[in-house]
Amino acid sequence: MENVKIDETRQVSPVNTLFLVLGMQIGISILSFQRVAAQNSGYDNWVSVALMGLSTLGVMWIVLRLLHNEESYGQPELFSMQKRFFGRWIGTLLNIYVMSYQFSVIVIFMRGYIEIIQVWIFPRLGTLSFAAIFSIIIWYTVMGGFRAITGTFFLSFVYLVPLHLLNILAIGNAHFSNLLPMFEHSIGDLAQTFMKMGPCFIGFETILYFYPFIKRPQQAGKWCYFGLLTTTALYLTLSLVATVNFSPGELKTEVWPALSFWKSIHFPLVDRLEYIGIVYWLCVLIPNVSLGAWIVSRGIKISIPLIRQKYALVFVMLMITLSCALIRDRQQFDWISHWIANIGLFCMYVYIPFLLFWQWLLKKKGAKKD
């Protein structure tokens, strides 16, 4: 596979990988993961959250090693890599598979946000109409190119800092005795919580798609790790905030504990803080969905060179809009989310290490021929 050099005017500096990695891990699940985490591990759920966060550092090392090695052979991104590793036909099938996965993640993310708006603010909001309007915004953002998408990630980071600082307000009403006794759950319970935390932490592996768009990519590694550590600290903080503010029964029944926590905060001029939080969350939705749409449309362009990315993007946005409308209720949403989470975990802990192993085998085979 030919290594096509990306023009420098379309690339971003290494520090931006911090915002890209961090932003892709902060999805819609951050508003509800505390309930899922508490189902098996109770107040010890923070242990599994910390372990999951630290394990992503190891996966990121594998991803970066894979990409660095690939620079010597071809284009260092997943679509080209799979074609080189497995041949044109199998590689194309695998590309379709990863595009389908990224597409499903976008749909679930957008549909989850629409559900929150329907439950908390506008019960009669039409799913199709909101998805259509939002798809136009995403189309406009992606048409600006990868640098414009990266800019939305930076703005998302800046806008959300004040919102996350609200966690400080939890100290006044916190019941720190909830944390005791520690470590009373079994390893099996913690392992189940660990697996359920997967959907919260996946997303950082998207560097496999945009790596060629980073200037001096060798310097991006440290920013990737900073991004993962920041996300881990954020999830750990939110987990502890929920633990010291909710009883075990409340924590297991609250669908969106983060929104309930914001609802409990009152200011003289702002009585319903969660409304501001929900609107603010658009800042998270736009960059996440934009990058996902960019990945899928670029994958179509690479797999079928006759189709230009801007035309593929129109098709992708239409399909996303229709798919959001097809998910009717919470049961369907949970079923699709469950399968996406399992596929994401498989990719993180099985498929990506396998790719590094396969790359090593091909290198050995090539060395023997020489």
Side-chain angles (χ1 to χ4, degrees):
M1 183 66 65
E2 185 183 357
N3 190 346
V4 180
K5 179 69 177 174
I6 303 297
D7 190 274
E8 193 168 320
T9 58
R10 299 169 59 198
Q11 293 179 314
V12 298
S13 60
V15 68
N16 284 289
T17 52
L18 166 69
F19 307 113
L20 288 161
V21 169
L22 178 62
M24 285 305 291
Q25 286 190 301
I26 300 177
I28 207 72
S29 56
I30 201 171
L31 301 176
S32 60
F33 82 96
Q34 299 94 334
R35 172 178 59 86
V36 178
Q39 287 175 350
N40 296 97
S41 301
Y43 285 158
D44 283 334
N45 66 79
W46 63 271
V47 178
S48 300
V49 173
L51 290 175
M52 170 57 82
L54 293 176
S55 74
T56 58
L57 297 175
V59 179
M60 180 57 87
W61 180 86
I62 295 173
V63 169
L64 292 175
R65 185 72 182 269
L66 185 68
L67 292 167
H68 290 333
N69 293 343
E70 195 61 20
E71 288 182 58
S72 306
Y73 302 100
Q75 190 78 336
E77 46 88 14
L78 189 59
F79 294 124
S80 304
M81 205 184 300
Q82 291 187 139
K83 282 190 173 181
R84 187 180 82 83
F85 285 4
F86 307 110
R88 180 183 173 187
W89 294 108
I90 297 178
T92 301
L93 285 175
L94 288 171
N95 286 345
I96 293 172
Y97 166 77
V98 296
M99 280 189 283
S100 303
Y101 168 72
Q102 289 296 333
F103 177 85
S104 304
V105 172
I106 299 169
V107 171
I108 283 298
F109 194 41
M110 190 186 292
R111 186 65 185 86
Y113 184 74
I114 293 173
E115 183 186 17
I116 289 175
I117 293 181
Q118 289 171 333
V119 171
W120 285 79
I121 304 179
F122 302 117
R124 295 184 179 180
L125 177 70
T127 303
L128 183 62
S129 56
F130 182 87
I133 294 170
F134 195 77
S135 292
I136 294 172
I137 298 173
I138 298 301
W139 170 82
Y140 183 76
T141 306
V142 179
M143 286 299 289
F146 183 73
R147 294 184 69 155
I149 297 171
T150 305
T152 62
F153 273 95
F154 173 74
L155 291 175
S156 167
F157 175 81
V158 173
Y159 291 156
L160 288 177
V161 167
L163 197 61
H164 293 306
L165 289 178
L166 288 176
N167 296 321
I168 297 172
L169 299 175
I171 296 175
N173 300 319
H175 301 280
F176 289 101
S177 59
N178 288 353
L179 295 170
L180 301 174
M182 291 184 179
F183 310 116
E184 64 174 357
H185 289 82
S186 66
I187 293 177
D189 292 334
L190 295 176
Q192 288 187 51
T193 305
F194 179 89
M195 297 296 288
K196 290 179 178 177
M197 286 296 95
C200 303
F201 286 89
I202 57 176
F204 68 90
E205 74 281 359
T206 48
I207 192 175
L208 284 164
Y209 305 100
F210 62 75
Y211 185 80
F213 289 81
I214 302 172
K215 296 176 188 174
R216 305 179 299 281
Q218 293 78 9
Q219 299 176 15
K222 61 181 179 183
W223 297 111
C224 292
Y225 293 124
F226 285 156
L228 293 175
L229 288 172
T230 306
T231 311
T232 303
L234 178 61
Y235 274 102
L236 196 55
T237 303
L238 291 174
S239 174
L240 291 172
V241 165
T243 300
V244 300
N245 278 279
F246 294 100
S247 69
E250 289 175 327
L251 203 54
K252 290 179 181 178
T253 55
E254 289 284 350
V255 179
W256 298 288
L259 295 180
S260 299
F261 169 65
W262 292 341
K263 186 180 178 181
S264 66
I265 301 173
H266 302 283
F267 293 107
L269 297 178
V270 182
D271 192 48
R272 300 297 296 268
L273 188 66
E274 77 275 17
Y275 288 173
I276 297 176
I278 291 170
V279 175
Y280 245 58
W281 219 249
L282 267 176
C283 305
V284 174
L285 190 64
I286 290 173
N288 272 266
V289 178
S290 296
L291 184 58
W294 179 83
I295 290 170
V296 177
S297 57
R298 189 164 189 270
I300 294 173
K301 174 193 167 188
I302 292 173
S303 302
I304 311 173
L306 291 175
I307 302 177
R308 298 182 67 181
Q309 188 172 358
K310 63 179 182 180
Y311 299 128
L313 178 63
V314 173
F315 171 74
V316 171
M317 298 318 302
L318 281 174
M319 295 305 296
I320 288 173
T321 304
L322 294 174
S323 300
C324 284
L326 288 175
I327 300 176
R328 295 288 182 185
D329 51 40
R330 168 53 68 166
Q331 194 175 6
Q332 290 178 349
F333 180 85
D334 286 341
W335 185 82
I336 298 172
S337 300
H338 172 74
W339 280 105
I340 290 175
N342 287 338
I343 293 171
L345 284 172
F346 174 81
C347 290
M348 276 175 58
Y349 295 107
V350 179
Y351 186 59
I352 291 175
F354 169 75
L355 285 179
L356 184 62
F357 173 70
W358 194 259
Q359 188 185 54
W360 176 79
L361 281 182
L362 290 178
K363 184 181 178 183
K364 287 288 181 186
K365 187 179 175 182
K368 281 185 180 179
K369 282 184 179 178
D370 294 338

